[in-house]
Amino acid sequence: MTTPPPQRPPDPPPPPHLDLTLDLRVLNDENFAPGDHTRHASQIRLPLRERPHTHRHDLRLGGSRTLTIAVHCPLDRHPHTLRVEATIRETRPAPARARHHARLPLRPGPAAPLDLPLHLPGDPHPYAHLTLRCTLSPAGPDPGGALHARAGSLGWTPGHLQAVPGGYQLTTDHGTLYHDGQRLSALHHHADAHYQARGGPGGPLGLPTGDALTSPGWTLAFARHTLRHDRGHTALLTRAAAAHWPAAGATLGLPVADTTRLDRPRGPLDVTPCEHGTLLVDPTRPARITPRTLSVRPARVTRWLQAHLDRAAPGATFGDPWPGPPLRYPLTLNAPGGPLTLCVPLALKVSPAPDARREVHLGARQAGLIDLPPGTPARAARHALRALDDLLRRPLQLAALPAGNHLIGAHVTPDGGLHLDFLPTDWT
């Protein structure tokens, strides 16, 4: 007679609680430089009690400014609305404060976001945007049983079950499963690693709303975003960008970086860098916007390189590149004993990332080994190596676009040219 395997004891029902996500973006602070970290995201689990209570969250902003977020939790018997008060204080040049109020309806399941613009005292223009999401998790059966059952159906061995912001997660030997109280999602290890790198359940994405079980290419949906991975490119797209990419993908190629949002006087714009261009979407309609484009021919880039070469090694010449990557430029030097032709691999890069407000530079750097032809005389080799050191000891700055250039996308074409995308005239 065989002994039946022991059954997993039922988990106790979780107490009622709220899962609150705060996502703060500072838009305009004279104390911060363009590359500074001006975004903060946090996830807070708030218990519901028999008496109302307040949770405080304090942040130091730029200069003398501070932000206090006070979350007033309701009674556990009637949790209908959550009240939030955000107060910006500054002590210089004179003490002042500005208060902002918001009310969030409480309901189980994924929460609709609430956007709260924050203003400095006496300033009508938004200083920052605070996005709030709150999910009510009432007392009830634990979804652990459903998670274990789904793991069994996939052939995954269940591991550790734990509560996370917004629900529960079950780790397994093949991936991770999540439950938000209504939906259950399964992610294989590769997709879950990218999800965790962007904050996981406690980050601004919240819990996933779909599965990611295929590999190597996969798509993972969230309430307001879609995370895609295909052919080595991983990109987080907003809902509007994800809806318009399938129709644009034939010409633009795969998304290669996350969607960023530009706040323009006319409204926001979602900008997604792709392999062969830039996907530009107005999320308020939503509708795709056609950017202005400029193509720079490879011969023009070669002339920019030649200008640097004329200073480092007069009389030497660059030729148009052989397609890469990396791009390989023929370089002919006037060495002792006659002309010497080398193959110079270079990588072209636009830095910083295209930004409609900042100055942007096109640079070039050595991108591989440079082999001198076998049998090159020692004197000619020394001359060539000295010329290469003068030319390539530091990255080359080939061209620059001034601040306020309205550039939103740039990429190097396979033949060594440039494709530049700019904001449309009516959005500048």
Side-chain angles (χ1 to χ4, degrees):
M1 180 177 179
T2 60
T3 303
Q7 299 294 317
R8 184 179 70 91
D11 295 310
H17 60 272
L18 303 174
D19 287 307
L20 177 66
T21 298
L22 305 175
D23 189 357
L24 176 71
R25 290 187 301 127
V26 176
L27 304 176
N28 186 21
D29 192 315
E30 70 278 8
N31 298 282
F32 294 131
D36 290 346
H37 180 67
T38 56
R39 185 167 186 171
H40 170 78
S42 61
Q43 179 79 39
I44 308 166
R45 172 160 288 190
L46 303 173
L48 293 177
R49 302 171 182 167
E50 295 181 357
R51 300 179 60 183
H53 62 285
T54 299
H55 173 85
R56 286 171 53 95
H57 194 85
D58 293 287
L59 292 166
R60 174 177 167 79
L61 305 173
S64 66
R65 300 175 184 127
T66 60
L67 172 64
T68 299
I69 302 173
V71 181
H72 304 287
C73 299
L75 296 172
D76 61 351
R77 295 187 300 275
H78 306 289
H80 300 303
T81 305
L82 185 73
R83 293 188 299 111
V84 178
E85 179 181 331
T87 305
I88 295 181
R89 294 180 175 87
E90 58 183 1
T91 58
R92 295 188 299 271
R97 66 181 179 182
R99 287 181 174 173
H100 311 79
H101 300 271
R103 290 177 175 268
L104 282 79
L106 299 178
R107 57 179 65 92
L114 185 145
D115 293 318
L116 180 64
L118 304 182
H119 299 262
L120 295 177
D123 190 347
H125 302 288
Y127 167 78
H129 275 297
L130 178 63
T131 301
L132 305 163
R133 301 181 187 87
C134 191
T135 300
L136 170 65
S137 297
D142 182 79
L147 289 167
H148 280 81
R150 180 70 188 280
S153 69
L154 294 171
W156 297 1
T157 302
H160 180 57
L161 174 68
Q162 63 178 357
V164 295
Y168 294 85
Q169 78 172 24
L170 176 67
T171 57
T172 75
D173 58 342
H174 286 80
T176 306
L177 294 92
Y178 297 93
H179 202 300
D180 65 3
Q182 293 184 334
R183 283 186 296 257
L184 194 154
S185 303
L187 282 62
H188 62 70
H189 278 315
H190 190 250
D192 191 56
H194 283 277
Y195 170 46
Q196 294 294 337
R198 284 169 166 78
L205 297 178
L207 290 177
T209 59
D211 294 340
L213 298 175
T214 59
S215 184
W218 46 267
T219 300
L220 181 58
F222 297 90
R224 299 184 72 185
H225 295 83
T226 297
L227 185 61
R228 291 181 44 87
H229 181 86
D230 200 355
R231 299 206 300 269
H233 299 298
T234 304
L236 181 66
L237 278 59
T238 60
R239 181 185 298 174
H244 284 83
W245 177 79
T251 55
L252 296 180
L254 294 172
V256 297
D258 294 355
T259 300
T260 57
R261 177 156 291 182
L262 290 180
D263 291 306
R264 307 298 300 171
R266 181 174 168 180
L269 282 174
D270 287 350
V271 181
T272 307
C274 297
E275 290 177 305
H276 312 304
T278 305
L279 176 62
L280 190 60
V281 177
D282 176 0
T284 59
R285 290 193 277 173
R288 183 182 173 190
I289 306 297
T290 302
R292 292 180 292 141
T293 62
L294 174 65
S295 296
V296 179
R297 299 175 64 84
R300 172 67 63 87
V301 179
T302 302
R303 288 198 294 271
W304 292 338
L305 286 168
Q306 184 66 44
H308 283 271
L309 186 61
D310 290 341
R311 294 191 293 269
T317 58
F318 264 122
D320 289 336
W322 300 308
L327 296 167
R328 294 165 296 161
Y329 288 82
L331 170 62
T332 302
L333 299 170
N334 291 325
L340 179 65
T341 300
L342 307 175
C343 178
V344 178
L346 294 177
L348 305 179
K349 183 179 180 181
V350 175
S351 63
D355 189 311
R357 302 161 298 176
R358 293 181 289 175
E359 184 177 84
V360 176
H361 301 273
L362 170 65
R365 63 171 181 83
Q366 182 178 338
L369 302 177
I370 302 175
D371 183 27
L372 273 63
T376 301
R379 187 180 175 193
R382 288 194 298 269
H383 176 86
L385 293 174
R386 186 165 54 248
L388 290 172
D389 183 62
D390 291 340
L391 177 66
L392 302 173
R393 68 176 61 182
R394 61 181 60 89
L396 308 177
Q397 181 176 316
L398 305 182
L401 288 173
N405 53 63
H406 306 305
L407 181 70
I408 57 171
H411 74 274
V412 179
T413 59
D415 59 357
L418 293 173
H419 177 94
L420 306 177
D421 290 318
F422 297 85
L423 284 173
T425 303
D426 53 347
W427 283 85
T428 58

